[in-house]
Structure formats: C-alpha cells, structure tokens
Amino acid sequence: MYTEYQPCGLLSAYIDKYWVFKGKTELGTYFKILPDGCCDFIFSIGDTAQCVGTNQPVMQPYRCFFVGPMTTFSELVTNTPSVHMLGVRFHPCGLTAFCKPPLSEFTNQRISSNDLTLLFTDSFAESLCEAQTLQQQICLIERFLIHRLKDNYEIDPQIPFAVQQINRSKGRLPILQLMDEICICQRHFERKFKAYTGYTPKEYSRIMKFRNTIDLLKNCVPDNLLTIAVEAGYYDLSHFNKEIRQLSGNTPASFLSIPIPEDVLLTYLE
C-alpha cells in the first residue's frame, strides 16, 4: 500500500524521497501523521484520504496540494473505498532552492495549488496523472525540478549546516552551543532558520528529539520507558509522556507494539 523511492543523485540534496500511497481502504479509517521536519507536495492521482478538522482543503482528484512543516500530529480519514496519492518530500531547507516564499508562512498549513502556486500547478498535476507508469511520473517530476534548479535561489549555507548539526545530535544539541558553532547573531540566525525550514531552531530540535524517541521506543520493552526517556534527553517520565502525547496524540507505550503496516504509515505518510 505504501512504498518509497529515492530521487536521482542531482536532486538528493533537496528531496528526501518520493512516496506512493495506493490501495483499497475501509471507509472511515483514521491515520495519524507524525511531524518529521519535512514538507510535501502531494499529487492526487485518484481518490485521496481527507484531512480531519475544520478549514482543511478537500483533496480532489488530479490536483496538487502542499503540506507545510508540521509542529504536531495531524489525522487523515478515508471516505472512499480506494486511495491513490503520490508525494514529493523535501528535506528541511530543500524547497528553498526552488521557490522564494519563506516556509514560515506555511507551518501547519495544507494548501491547494488552486489557492497558491508555490512550485507545481494543477496543469502539471493533470499531465502527471496522464503518465502511464509511476516511473514516468517520477521522471516528469525530476525533469521539472532539474529545470527549476537553473533558477536556483541562494541558500545561506549556515542554515543547512545548523540542520545537519541538530540531526546529528538527535535534537539534543543546546541552541546556544549551536550558535557558538555558527558564529552569527542569534536573532538573525533564528529568522533565517525559520524562513528556510518553517521552524524555529528550538521547534526543529524538539521534533528531531521526538523522532529519535519513536525509533528508540520501537526497539524497547515496556519496563524500559525511563531508560528511553533519559537516553532521548528528557528530564523525567512526566516530561517524556507529555511530549510524546502532544506530538503524536498517543502514549509512549503505544509505540511498543505497532503492527508493521500501520507503523510505516505513522512514520512516513504526510
């Protein structure tokens, strides 16, 4: 139902992966989507799962939608017997190479290309749907993006470096220590970081710590939760439980026994 594909070498610095969510579903099935620091363009090749909540766009077939950086979990619900979506997931800072608007304007937003064209248009989505195979669809996307790289917008290299340092520390690097490594004004750094990624450095670190915690929980036994909390960098079990609940909508223990198919969806589907 859910599969991933890697981008070509030239685009791997900007794109994390392509993903496809396709198959039959039970009406009314809910999926929780966890924040991961990235943002996605989603092409509705056929029917789609709908976002839960008010003021969310209806994801119509043969259209393109942008899902901005998320600071907490969200939910999708299936209201059709089958679903077919193709996604392009950009690395933090990756989308900045292709378009100018700061990502901070789109944090926790889902936007139809009918309302705002950031990169792809509905006409591009329609041509994508006309392609006969997934390989042809990905080829169309990559040709388009490589062409757009000719207008490559300049990226301050200090921000991708900061993202890399936070990732390496799994969200545990103190922001003041990060500032010492970058050697720029904190206010200037935080403004650029948020424009490029959609997050403040503190928010992004929080999400990376959370992602690492989920990975640790998947290989943990129930009586080791305190050990996981300490290893992940949380002060105590109370803080640990609160953070996991706020970012995932679930208790830490719920990640100890997630079935593999749902686990894949919880981890990767945007």
Side-chain angles (χ1 to χ4, degrees):
M1 181 179 287
Y2 175 86
T3 50
E4 297 176 356
Y5 303 88
Q6 295 304 308
C8 69
L10 183 60
L11 294 174
S12 60
Y14 312 101
I15 296 174
D16 178 41
K17 62 175 67 76
Y18 307 108
W19 57 264
V20 177
F21 184 36
K22 179 180 181 180
K24 296 186 181 300
T25 60
E26 293 186 14
L27 298 181
T29 299
Y30 279 76
F31 300 105
K32 274 195 173 69
I33 314 304
L34 307 185
D36 61 3
C38 299
C39 58
D40 293 60
F41 282 92
I42 300 176
F43 299 98
S44 55
I45 307 300
D47 291 328
T48 63
Q50 299 299 322
C51 302
V52 177
T54 58
N55 300 320
Q56 297 287 356
V58 176
M59 298 181 70
Q60 299 173 337
Y62 318 117
R63 294 291 181 268
C64 176
F65 304 86
F66 176 65
V67 180
M70 297 164 56
T71 59
T72 187
F73 74 95
S74 62
E75 293 182 308
L76 296 178
V77 60
T78 57
N79 56 11
T80 58
S82 63
V83 171
H84 189 181
M85 296 182 287
L86 168 61
V88 184
R89 178 161 301 159
F90 285 82
H91 287 301
C93 302
L95 185 57
T96 307
F98 299 93
C99 55
K100 278 187 175 181
L103 278 180
S104 54
E105 296 180 3
F106 309 109
T107 303
N108 294 321
Q109 299 291 316
R110 289 181 173 83
I111 303 171
S112 169
S113 56
N114 279 329
D115 301 321
L116 178 67
T117 299
L118 285 175
L119 185 59
F120 300 104
T121 64
D122 278 344
S123 61
F124 180 86
E126 290 171 1
S127 65
L128 202 64
C129 294
E130 292 172 359
Q132 299 298 310
T133 66
L134 174 62
Q135 288 72 23
Q136 290 175 350
Q137 292 169 341
I138 291 177
C139 185
L140 284 172
I141 292 171
E142 294 201 325
R143 282 207 303 264
F144 174 81
L145 292 176
I146 290 171
H147 179 75
R148 284 292 293 257
L149 277 178
K150 296 176 181 178
D151 302 321
N152 194 0
Y153 296 108
E154 184 178 354
I155 299 177
D156 186 336
Q158 291 175 311
I159 307 305
F161 173 77
V163 168
Q164 185 181 59
Q165 294 301 95
I166 293 172
N167 291 348
R168 284 178 175 174
S169 73
K170 300 176 180 178
R172 299 187 62 178
L173 179 66
I175 300 302
L176 290 179
Q177 183 178 333
L178 179 62
M179 294 301 308
D180 289 340
E181 296 183 22
I182 295 178
C183 300
I184 61 174
C185 165
Q186 183 172 353
R187 185 176 179 181
H188 180 65
F189 165 68
E190 290 183 346
R191 179 180 60 81
K192 278 198 168 184
F193 192 98
K194 190 168 185 178
Y196 285 7
T197 69
Y199 303 97
T200 66
K202 185 175 180 180
E203 288 172 336
Y204 184 76
S205 296
R206 182 189 182 201
I207 290 171
M208 291 304 102
K209 182 189 289 189
F210 164 74
R211 301 298 302 185
N212 178 55
T213 303
I214 299 305
D215 289 339
L216 292 173
L217 284 169
K218 293 172 185 175
N219 299 296
C220 174
V221 294
D223 59 356
N224 278 349
L225 288 180
L226 179 58
T227 302
I228 293 299
V230 173
E231 183 177 350
Y234 295 101
Y235 302 119
D236 51 38
L237 270 179
S238 176
H239 180 222
F240 173 69
N241 288 328
K242 182 179 179 181
E243 281 289 281
I244 301 305
R245 280 184 178 273
Q246 286 184 347
L247 290 171
S248 73
N250 291 102
T251 65
S254 68
F255 291 95
L256 299 176
S257 58
I258 298 176
I260 291 177
E262 186 177 357
D263 180 34
V264 171
L265 287 172
L266 285 170
T267 303
Y268 295 112
L269 177 61
E270 284 276 349

